[in-house]
Amino acid sequence: MHIEADRELAETARAQHGIFTSQQAVDAGHPKWRIEYRRKCGMWVRLHPNVYAHASTPSTWHRDQMAAVMWAQPAASSARAAAFLHGLPGFDDPPLEILTSCRKIVPRCGVTVHHTARLPQDQTLRVLNIPCTSVERTVLDLCGTVGRRQGAIALDHTLQYGMSTLGSYDFCLFLTARRGRNGCGVLRDLVHERAALSEFPNTPLETVVFEMIAGSTLPAPQCQVPIHDERGAFVARPDFLYPQEKIIIEGHSRLWHTGFELERRDRARFKRLASLGYQTIYVTWADATSSSSLTLMTIERALRDRGWIPSAGGQEVAEIC
């Protein structure tokens, strides 16, 4: 009876954010004529060819993203949509975006479609039961679609919170990289820059500051290195440190540095570090982006004043006194 078919199909749809395919309806016991009849009567809504939802199902981003993936099989959520599902920063309002190996699929109904020659099984998984590219493949795709800055922020977030490792990114590049593929060169450079770090930037601002310095001729600073006083007591854990020159680079955001108590704490910390011979340079988001040249000049001047001499090859040389 169609009541049993409805019950089975409802269970299927419930696990798929309210959507189902025509084949799933047939498997549940609905003949094809009933599918078309219910669509014409308005009981079922066709979201994509062969992809439906009950008319009473609320329209949500997750429902529409799931529908797009089911329509374009074999496919997975990718790039900005996958970044949102993985909880990466900066992708709170993503478009519907998929990656498919089916060349017949073209963009439609607000769905951004990316094509790939192959989508390895170990580069896909399910997040909230929605097929999605892996963390590594997601960051790779971001590097090719939204650019280096957001790709770097996403990469550092996954490294900082244990979602992936540099080795996993290397393996992803091994499986995926080919001449002309967008994002591979960018991700390879980002991984190479972080190979020398024992810790990774904690916040998007720290990533932007690190990228600013890494893209210049200045030496790479150490990241998240604790500083202790002469008695071994902990003093601070700055964002970036040049230990030999005693230069500290701190990302300065309104969120963590605005307010009476926070400003009082920063002043006390600054004085304590200064008493130990450290110079602190605060860098805001604007300093690291629109005013990056001036900020790099400030850092370089401070390094030179503390004895750093750039070599002809662009690597630092410590002055011997």
Side-chain angles (χ1 to χ4, degrees):
M1 294 177 62
H2 67 83
I3 295 178
E4 292 297 325
D6 285 338
R7 183 179 295 112
E8 182 176 340
L9 189 60
E11 289 295 324
T12 299
R14 189 176 296 114
Q16 298 176 165
H17 298 275
I19 68 101
F20 55 90
T21 65
S22 56
Q23 185 59 53
Q24 288 172 335
V26 170
D27 292 342
H30 290 288
K32 292 184 178 180
W33 65 264
R34 186 182 294 153
I35 297 173
E36 185 62 17
Y37 172 78
R38 290 191 173 184
R39 184 191 67 82
K40 290 182 178 180
C41 289
M43 296 175 63
W44 292 352
V45 178
R46 186 169 65 182
L47 303 176
H48 297 286
N50 298 316
V51 179
Y52 298 85
H54 196 280
S56 62
T57 303
S59 176
T60 65
W61 182 89
H62 290 84
R63 185 202 73 167
D64 294 342
Q65 179 65 28
M66 185 71 175
V69 173
M70 296 295 287
W71 156 63
Q73 288 296 307
S77 305
S78 72
R80 292 162 292 182
F84 171 70
L85 289 171
H86 285 300
L88 303 184
F91 300 96
D92 295 333
D93 188 23
L96 304 177
E97 197 162 6
I98 61 173
L99 179 69
T100 178
S101 57
C102 180
R103 289 290 174 179
K104 295 180 180 179
I105 300 297
V106 295
R108 71 183 304 272
C109 300
V111 179
T112 300
V113 177
H114 304 286
H115 293 97
T116 182
R118 56 188 297 267
L119 189 58
Q121 188 174 358
D122 58 358
Q123 289 188 1
T124 62
L125 70 165
R126 285 181 175 266
V127 180
L128 299 177
N129 208 34
I130 300 177
C132 179
T133 52
S134 65
V135 167
E136 297 79 16
R137 182 60 188 264
T138 297
V139 174
L140 171 61
D141 292 338
L142 288 174
C143 289
T145 55
V146 299
R148 180 184 176 107
R149 180 181 297 167
Q150 285 186 277
I153 291 172
L155 171 68
D156 286 337
H157 181 88
T158 65
L159 295 174
Q160 177 63 32
Y161 290 95
M163 298 170 66
S164 187
T165 64
L166 291 177
S168 296
Y169 282 106
D170 265 336
F171 186 62
C172 178
L173 286 167
F174 171 76
L175 291 178
T176 313
R178 62 175 175 79
R179 185 180 297 275
R181 180 182 292 279
N182 291 339
C184 290
V186 174
L187 181 59
R188 187 178 289 107
D189 289 344
L190 294 176
V191 170
H192 177 73
E193 289 171 0
R194 283 149 182 80
L197 299 179
S198 57
E199 298 286 341
F200 306 105
N202 281 343
T203 66
L205 176 55
E206 289 180 28
T207 296
V208 171
V209 173
F210 179 77
E211 282 293 294
M212 175 190 68
I213 297 174
S216 72
T217 58
L218 296 179
Q222 295 183 22
C223 185
Q224 304 292 331
V225 176
I227 294 176
H228 301 83
D229 63 15
E230 59 278 359
R231 294 175 299 178
F234 176 80
V235 177
R237 187 185 180 92
D239 297 340
F240 303 102
L241 174 67
Y242 291 101
Q244 186 168 341
E245 295 82 7
K246 287 194 169 184
I247 299 292
I248 291 171
I249 312 295
E250 287 277 62
H252 198 75
S253 66
R254 292 181 180 179
L255 178 62
W256 301 109
H257 299 277
T258 300
F260 177 79
E261 183 59 30
L262 293 175
E263 291 173 2
R264 184 196 65 79
R265 184 198 64 184
D266 282 347
R267 287 193 297 270
R269 183 172 179 266
F270 177 85
K271 291 180 181 179
R272 181 64 175 135
L273 288 169
S275 70
L276 295 174
Y278 289 93
Q279 178 182 350
T280 303
I281 299 174
Y282 292 106
V283 181
T284 66
W285 188 278
D287 293 334
T289 53
S290 57
S291 302
S292 60
S293 297
L294 181 60
T295 304
L296 288 170
M297 289 175 58
T298 301
I299 297 173
E300 181 178 359
R301 189 181 304 114
L303 287 171
R304 287 176 181 272
D305 290 344
R306 294 294 182 104
W308 174 75
I309 302 174
S311 68
Q315 298 295 322
E316 71 273 20
V317 175
E319 184 176 15
I320 301 176
C321 301

